[in-house]
Amino acid sequence: MHGADLLGTSFFENTLRPNYDCCFAGEAINYTEWFEYPRGRRFIAVSYSPLRPQSEYVEAILVITRDLTDYVLAGEALRSAQAELAHANRVSTIGQLTASIAHEVSQPITAAITDARAALHWLSAQPPNIDEVEEALAHIVKEVGRAGEVIERTRTLVKKEPPRKNAFSVNEAILEVMALTRAEAAHEGISVRTQFADGLPLVLGDRVQLQQVILNLIVNAIEAMRSEGEGNRDLLICTGKTELNDVLVKVLDSGPGVLPATVEQLFDSFYTTKPNGLGLGLSICRSIVEAQGGRLWASPNVPRGAIFHFTVPAHADDAA
């Protein structure tokens, strides 16, 4: 059949004929895109190859058409399912920190109430002490702002949004997450320290997703050290740069540690060392980091504990 009879005159003239002409002129053509057909919208991969079986001239062309619609739709469904799972894991992790977050919010609110009472006291003085009132009101504004920041950080981490790529500071992103976990760490008697490299380049990626990774690693470290009896409980978060100028983040704990022989199993789906764990957190974290062009791995800490490392590519302009 002629191409026009098979697919319609308009499609033949607008799509097939220009490709035929280029291919008969000796040019190989490859493309993939969505097309509208009478039977519906399809994702098609097409290749045009000039054939010269017996001479230097193109005597025929070979056209191979592959319908990849089902493959593409399955990939989109998988990505959607992964996003749903990542969001559920993030909400679950935040749920574990509810008491800690409540504590972080209650502190500035209590301080604001105390300052408000002080302001009322100075207003009732004879004469009113306006300077003290102004100072108390300034403290109230500051403390309410602190509470609002905690709520906003929590809301940002929990809300469901499509991935966004922006340039941001890893050090700042870590500090925001640490503010949500500080009370929980203190409750468990864990000393939390940071060693942030100065002059780190910005990274380009999804800030909230990267914070989910950091949150998961910190919560895992807290839970690991919770089971430890005697000895110091130390959590150290470091940042730096790799030889390739990627930004490197390390979370070191003094928990029971990991065995070198089973360290890769930690990132397998449904593998868990927790009595009530689902075995999805680290698997999701690795998917998030790799989707942003980085790498996530673990190693034993010395003399005890575990180290989780991940890299994120630096923003090209900032790295330059």
Side-chain angles (χ1 to χ4, degrees), residues 120-271:
L120 290 173
H121 170 74
W122 292 116
L123 275 175
S124 62
Q126 295 298 329
N129 192 327
I130 302 302
D131 291 339
E132 292 289 349
V133 171
E134 289 180 349
E135 184 177 347
L137 291 176
H139 287 163
I140 292 172
V141 171
K142 179 182 177 181
E143 296 300 336
V144 172
R146 277 181 56 203
E149 288 173 3
V150 174
I151 294 171
E152 179 60 24
R153 281 193 293 267
T154 308
R155 189 184 70 85
T156 301
L157 277 170
V158 172
K159 68 182 179 180
K160 188 176 179 181
E161 285 189 345
R164 295 181 178 180
K165 281 198 171 185
N166 297 295
F168 63 91
S169 164
V170 164
N171 290 350
E172 291 179 2
I174 293 173
L175 289 174
E176 290 178 0
V177 174
M178 288 178 63
L180 300 179
T181 59
R182 182 168 49 231
E184 180 72 8
H187 176 72
E188 298 295 337
I190 295 172
S191 170
V192 182
R193 297 181 296 117
T194 59
Q195 288 183 1
F196 289 165
D198 294 326
L200 275 184
L202 300 179
V203 300
L204 182 63
D206 188 297
R207 184 189 189 103
V208 171
Q209 287 191 347
L210 189 66
Q211 287 181 315
Q212 177 184 349
V213 173
I214 298 165
L215 182 62
N216 268 99
L217 296 181
I218 292 177
V219 170
N220 285 350
I222 292 173
E223 291 184 347
M225 289 185 283
R226 180 180 294 152
S227 62
E228 289 295 282
E230 299 298 324
N232 294 333
R233 298 180 179 184
D234 299 314
L235 177 61
L236 175 62
I237 304 172
C238 306
T239 60
K241 285 197 299 184
T242 68
E243 294 179 355
L244 299 176
N245 205 43
D246 290 342
V247 174
L248 172 67
V249 179
K250 294 193 291 184
V251 178
L252 304 86
D253 67 60
S254 58
V258 294
L259 296 174
T262 61
V263 70
E264 272 304 305
Q265 285 184 275
L266 295 173
F267 301 97
D268 292 343
S269 298
F270 305 111
Y271 177 85

Side-chain angles (χ1 to χ4, degrees), residues 257-260 263 298-302 304-307 309:
V258 294
L259 296 174
V263 70
S299 64
N301 196 6
V302 178
R304 63 190 178 97
I307 308 175
H309 326 239

